[in-house]
């Protein structure tokens, strides 16, 4: 059974700083998703990573996937307040449609 | 396009009542999903559908039923509501034209239904 763990679960950082958050998964997952959720809102897709070594970037966020280590990272560059949100990663169980989500990482970026 | 539309947005039920959460998408997506999100937790998959007439259980299906008679609609039925079903429910859809068993595309989420059972 696939398990997805995120760390840290809470992060408070200053504007302008860089940071990396981690998503580990327990068994083979053939794709890895990152989503953002603002308080009281729905989920917004950020990245879909499909293969080992995949790297995708959008603005100040860059996601990567290492299937051998069963690890995905989300790197934040020069954080701004607008990045404050909860970030979820999700893996796909056994090549099926069954996504398993991590608990999410709540990011607060302080001025 | 409206995307994924969920109704109602809020609902309070009494224990033992039943209700149907509605979900409709106008993007001609073949895959649809229902999730629940409890406070401070990630999403858990309740049921999903890979096309009209085809549904399958997710991680937490007990106490729920679904049907998929059309591509656009994927209602979630709660029978005999229990306090443990108090949650925020999200419907999502995705599309993959490749005929694979799974979609490589991101899932598009509705705004959610906040359900309280007292």
């Amino acid at each position: 059974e696939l398990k997805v763990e995120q760390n840290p679960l809470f992060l408070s950082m200053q504007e302008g700083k860089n940071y990396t958050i981690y998503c580990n998964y327990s068994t083979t997952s053939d794709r890895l998703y990152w989503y953002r959720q603002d308080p009281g809102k729905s989920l917004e897709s950020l990245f879909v990573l499909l293969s080992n070594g995949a790297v995708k970037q959008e603005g100040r966020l860059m996601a990567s996937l290492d299937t051998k280590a069963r690890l995905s990272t989300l790197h934040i560059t020069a954080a701004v307040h607008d990045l404050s949100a909860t970030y979820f990663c999700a893996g796909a169980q056994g090549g099926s449609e069954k996504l398993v989500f991590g608990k999410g990482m709540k990011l607060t970026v302080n001025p | 396009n409206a995307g994924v539309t969920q109704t109602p947005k809020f609902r309070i039920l009494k224990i033992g009542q039943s209700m149907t959460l509605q979900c409709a998408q106008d993007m001609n997506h073949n895959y649809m999903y229902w999730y629940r999100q409890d406070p401070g937790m990630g999403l858990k998959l309740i049921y999903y559908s890979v096309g009209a007439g085809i549904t399958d259980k997710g991680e937490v299906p007990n106490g729920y039923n679904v049907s998929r008679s059309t591509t656009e609609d994927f209602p979630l039925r709660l029978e005999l509501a229990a306090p443990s079903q108090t949650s925020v429910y999200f419907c999502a859809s995705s599309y993959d034209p490749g005929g694979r068993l799974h979609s490589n595309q991101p899932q598009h989420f509705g705004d959610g239904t906040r359900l309280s059972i007292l």
Side-chain angles (χ1 to χ4, degrees):
Chain A
E1 181 183 335
L2 177 64
K3 295 188 187 302
V4 177
E5 291 189 357
Q6 294 183 239
N7 68 82
L9 295 182
F10 299 92
L11 175 62
S12 179
M13 60 188 297
Q14 296 295 118
E15 279 191 330
K17 299 293 187 182
N18 304 333
Y19 203 84
T20 299
I21 60 179
Y22 298 91
C23 175
N24 293 273
Y25 53 98
S26 60
T27 65
T28 301
S29 175
D30 59 3
R31 57 203 192 279
L32 197 292
Y33 299 81
W34 283 97
Y35 288 91
R36 168 186 171 138
Q37 185 179 37
D38 292 311
K41 302 294 186 181
S42 186
L43 280 78
E44 173 190 357
S45 175
L46 295 174
F47 303 107
V48 182
L49 303 168
L50 299 177
S51 60
N52 187 44
V55 177
K56 290 194 174 181
Q57 183 162 6
E58 181 74 32
R60 300 174 187 275
L61 301 177
M62 182 174 71
S64 65
L65 179 63
D66 181 342
T67 58
K68 295 179 181 177
R70 295 177 184 164
L71 171 69
S72 180
T73 61
L74 182 65
H75 185 74
I76 303 162
T77 302
V80 294
H81 180 67
D82 285 352
L83 289 180
S84 298
T86 299
Y87 293 85
F88 292 95
C89 64
Q93 188 160 276
S96 75
E97 280 304 306
K98 296 182 179 181
L99 289 195
V100 177
F101 280 76
K103 291 184 177 181
M105 188 216 69
K106 184 174 182 179
L107 172 67
T108 303
V109 181
N110 301 306
Chain B
N1 286 351
V4 179
T5 302
Q6 292 184 235
T7 56
K9 295 191 184 304
F10 304 92
R11 183 74 183 267
I12 299 174
L13 281 183
K14 294 182 180 179
I15 295 171
Q17 287 185 319
S18 61
M19 78 164 293
T20 299
L21 281 65
Q22 301 292 344
C23 176
Q25 53 90 10
D26 62 358
M27 298 174 283
N28 202 30
H29 284 179
N30 44 354
Y31 300 89
M32 295 188 76
Y33 317 82
W34 275 106
Y35 294 92
R36 60 177 287 172
Q37 183 179 30
D38 298 322
M41 302 293 287
L43 278 69
K44 292 189 182 296
L45 182 64
I46 305 172
Y47 273 94
Y48 68 99
S49 169
V50 300
I54 305 170
T55 63
D56 205 351
K57 296 178 180 178
E59 187 180 356
V60 289
N62 291 344
Y64 307 94
N65 280 299
V66 293
S67 59
R68 182 102 183 266
S69 57
T70 67
T71 300
E72 294 78 18
D73 300 299
F74 191 40
L76 178 71
R77 178 88 176 156
L78 278 73
E79 306 280 4
L80 297 175
S84 62
Q85 293 177 305
T86 293
S87 190
V88 180
Y89 291 83
F90 287 101
C91 179
S93 70
S94 68
Y95 177 71
D96 194 302
R100 284 180 281 246
L101 290 176
H102 59 82
S103 169
N104 282 344
Q105 301 300 310
Q107 296 181 11
H108 299 260
F109 284 80
D111 289 338
T113 294
R114 283 154 181 79
L115 179 63
S116 294
I117 299 164
L118 307 174

